[in-house]
PDB file of all heavy atoms in Angstrom:
ATOM      1  N   GLN A 330       3.108  -9.146 -18.931  1.00  0.00           N
ATOM      2  CA  GLN A 330       4.296  -8.282 -18.961  1.00  0.00           C
ATOM      3  C   GLN A 330       5.499  -9.057 -18.404  1.00  0.00           C
ATOM      4  O   GLN A 330       6.582  -9.062 -18.993  1.00  0.00           O
ATOM      5  CB  GLN A 330       4.087  -6.994 -18.137  1.00  0.00           C
ATOM      6  CG  GLN A 330       5.310  -6.086 -18.194  1.00  0.00           C
ATOM      7  CD  GLN A 330       5.184  -4.809 -17.361  1.00  0.00           C
ATOM      8  OE1 GLN A 330       4.618  -4.809 -16.276  1.00  0.00           O
ATOM      9  NE2 GLN A 330       5.726  -3.715 -17.884  1.00  0.00           N
ATOM     10  N   LEU A 341       2.092  -3.334 -10.039  1.00  0.00           N
ATOM     11  CA  LEU A 341       1.514  -4.602 -10.490  1.00  0.00           C
ATOM     12  C   LEU A 341       2.095  -5.786  -9.723  1.00  0.00           C
ATOM     13  O   LEU A 341       1.424  -6.795  -9.533  1.00  0.00           O
ATOM     14  CB  LEU A 341       1.726  -4.763 -11.992  1.00  0.00           C
ATOM     15  CG  LEU A 341       1.133  -3.619 -12.829  1.00  0.00           C
ATOM     16  CD1 LEU A 341       1.436  -3.829 -14.298  1.00  0.00           C
ATOM     17  CD2 LEU A 341      -0.368  -3.511 -12.596  1.00  0.00           C
ATOM     18  N   ASP A 407      -4.941   2.221 -13.827  1.00  0.00           N
ATOM     19  CA  ASP A 407      -4.908   2.122 -15.299  1.00  0.00           C
ATOM     20  C   ASP A 407      -6.269   2.587 -15.822  1.00  0.00           C
ATOM     21  O   ASP A 407      -6.974   1.835 -16.506  1.00  0.00           O
ATOM     22  CB  ASP A 407      -4.614   0.668 -15.715  1.00  0.00           C
ATOM     23  CG  ASP A 407      -4.303   0.543 -17.203  1.00  0.00           C
ATOM     24  OD1 ASP A 407      -3.810   1.530 -17.805  1.00  0.00           O
ATOM     25  OD2 ASP A 407      -4.557  -0.534 -17.767  1.00  0.00           O
ATOM     26  N   GLY A 410      -7.201   2.092 -19.237  1.00  0.00           N
ATOM     27  CA  GLY A 410      -6.887   0.741 -19.704  1.00  0.00           C
ATOM     28  C   GLY A 410      -5.776   0.678 -20.736  1.00  0.00           C
ATOM     29  O   GLY A 410      -5.663  -0.307 -21.464  1.00  0.00           O
ATOM     30  N   HIS A 411      -4.921   1.704 -20.780  1.00  0.00           N
ATOM     31  CA  HIS A 411      -3.832   1.670 -21.778  1.00  0.00           C
ATOM     32  C   HIS A 411      -2.912   0.473 -21.545  1.00  0.00           C
ATOM     33  O   HIS A 411      -2.491  -0.200 -22.485  1.00  0.00           O
ATOM     34  CB  HIS A 411      -2.999   2.961 -21.706  1.00  0.00           C
ATOM     35  CG  HIS A 411      -3.733   4.158 -22.181  1.00  0.00           C
ATOM     36  ND1 HIS A 411      -4.473   4.176 -23.339  1.00  0.00           N
ATOM     37  CD2 HIS A 411      -3.855   5.408 -21.648  1.00  0.00           C
ATOM     38  CE1 HIS A 411      -5.026   5.372 -23.509  1.00  0.00           C
ATOM     39  NE2 HIS A 411      -4.662   6.133 -22.484  1.00  0.00           N
ATOM     40  N   PHE A 412      -2.592   0.228 -20.268  1.00  0.00           N
ATOM     41  CA  PHE A 412      -1.688  -0.885 -19.973  1.00  0.00           C
ATOM     42  C   PHE A 412      -2.374  -2.222 -20.299  1.00  0.00           C
ATOM     43  O   PHE A 412      -1.783  -3.103 -20.928  1.00  0.00           O
ATOM     44  CB  PHE A 412      -1.248  -0.847 -18.502  1.00  0.00           C
ATOM     45  CG  PHE A 412      -0.279  -1.942 -18.164  1.00  0.00           C
ATOM     46  CD1 PHE A 412       1.076  -1.795 -18.439  1.00  0.00           C
ATOM     47  CD2 PHE A 412      -0.715  -3.146 -17.631  1.00  0.00           C
ATOM     48  CE1 PHE A 412       1.972  -2.825 -18.168  1.00  0.00           C
ATOM     49  CE2 PHE A 412       0.181  -4.177 -17.358  1.00  0.00           C
ATOM     50  CZ  PHE A 412       1.520  -4.008 -17.623  1.00  0.00           C
ATOM     51  N   ILE A 413      -3.624  -2.336 -19.873  1.00  0.00           N
ATOM     52  CA  ILE A 413      -4.346  -3.597 -20.127  1.00  0.00           C
ATOM     53  C   ILE A 413      -4.412  -3.866 -21.632  1.00  0.00           C
ATOM     54  O   ILE A 413      -4.130  -4.980 -22.088  1.00  0.00           O
ATOM     55  CB  ILE A 413      -5.764  -3.541 -19.507  1.00  0.00           C
ATOM     56  CG1 ILE A 413      -5.656  -3.517 -17.977  1.00  0.00           C
ATOM     57  CG2 ILE A 413      -6.601  -4.719 -19.984  1.00  0.00           C
ATOM     58  CD1 ILE A 413      -6.975  -3.320 -17.268  1.00  0.00           C
ATOM     59  N   ARG A 414      -4.743  -2.865 -22.407  1.00  0.00           N
ATOM     60  CA  ARG A 414      -4.869  -3.080 -23.861  1.00  0.00           C
ATOM     61  C   ARG A 414      -3.527  -3.455 -24.496  1.00  0.00           C
ATOM     62  O   ARG A 414      -3.465  -4.215 -25.458  1.00  0.00           O
ATOM     63  CB  ARG A 414      -5.441  -1.831 -24.538  1.00  0.00           C
ATOM     64  CG  ARG A 414      -6.926  -1.632 -24.291  1.00  0.00           C
ATOM     65  CD  ARG A 414      -7.524  -0.595 -25.237  1.00  0.00           C
ATOM     66  NE  ARG A 414      -8.963  -0.488 -25.077  1.00  0.00           N
ATOM     67  CZ  ARG A 414      -9.561   0.331 -24.206  1.00  0.00           C
ATOM     68  NH1 ARG A 414      -8.839   1.107 -23.411  1.00  0.00           N
ATOM     69  NH2 ARG A 414     -10.881   0.361 -24.113  1.00  0.00           N
ATOM     70  N   ARG A 415      -2.427  -2.893 -23.910  1.00  0.00           N
ATOM     71  CA  ARG A 415      -1.093  -3.198 -24.471  1.00  0.00           C
ATOM     72  C   ARG A 415      -0.793  -4.700 -24.356  1.00  0.00           C
ATOM     73  O   ARG A 415      -0.285  -5.320 -25.276  1.00  0.00           O
ATOM     74  CB  ARG A 415      -0.036  -2.397 -23.708  1.00  0.00           C
ATOM     75  CG  ARG A 415       1.333  -2.383 -24.376  1.00  0.00           C
ATOM     76  CD  ARG A 415       2.339  -1.564 -23.565  1.00  0.00           C
ATOM     77  NE  ARG A 415       1.897  -0.202 -23.299  1.00  0.00           N
ATOM     78  CZ  ARG A 415       2.377   0.562 -22.297  1.00  0.00           C
ATOM     79  NH1 ARG A 415       3.298   0.095 -21.484  1.00  0.00           N
ATOM     80  NH2 ARG A 415       1.937   1.788 -22.118  1.00  0.00           N
ATOM     81  N   TYR A 416      -1.141  -5.284 -23.215  1.00  0.00           N
ATOM     82  CA  TYR A 416      -0.792  -6.699 -23.006  1.00  0.00           C
ATOM     83  C   TYR A 416      -1.948  -7.672 -23.252  1.00  0.00           C
ATOM     84  O   TYR A 416      -1.726  -8.870 -23.360  1.00  0.00           O
ATOM     85  CB  TYR A 416      -0.203  -6.890 -21.597  1.00  0.00           C
ATOM     86  CG  TYR A 416       1.223  -6.383 -21.563  1.00  0.00           C
ATOM     87  CD1 TYR A 416       1.529  -5.117 -21.091  1.00  0.00           C
ATOM     88  CD2 TYR A 416       2.260  -7.161 -22.079  1.00  0.00           C
ATOM     89  CE1 TYR A 416       2.832  -4.636 -21.115  1.00  0.00           C
ATOM     90  CE2 TYR A 416       3.559  -6.695 -22.098  1.00  0.00           C
ATOM     91  CZ  TYR A 416       3.842  -5.432 -21.616  1.00  0.00           C
ATOM     92  OH  TYR A 416       5.120  -4.961 -21.650  1.00  0.00           O
TER      93      TYR A 416
END
Side-chain angles (χ1 to χ4, degrees):
Q330 181 182 37
L341 302 178
D407 191 27
H411 291 314
F412 182 83
I413 292 174
R414 286 194 175 89
R415 193 180 305 159
Y416 284 98

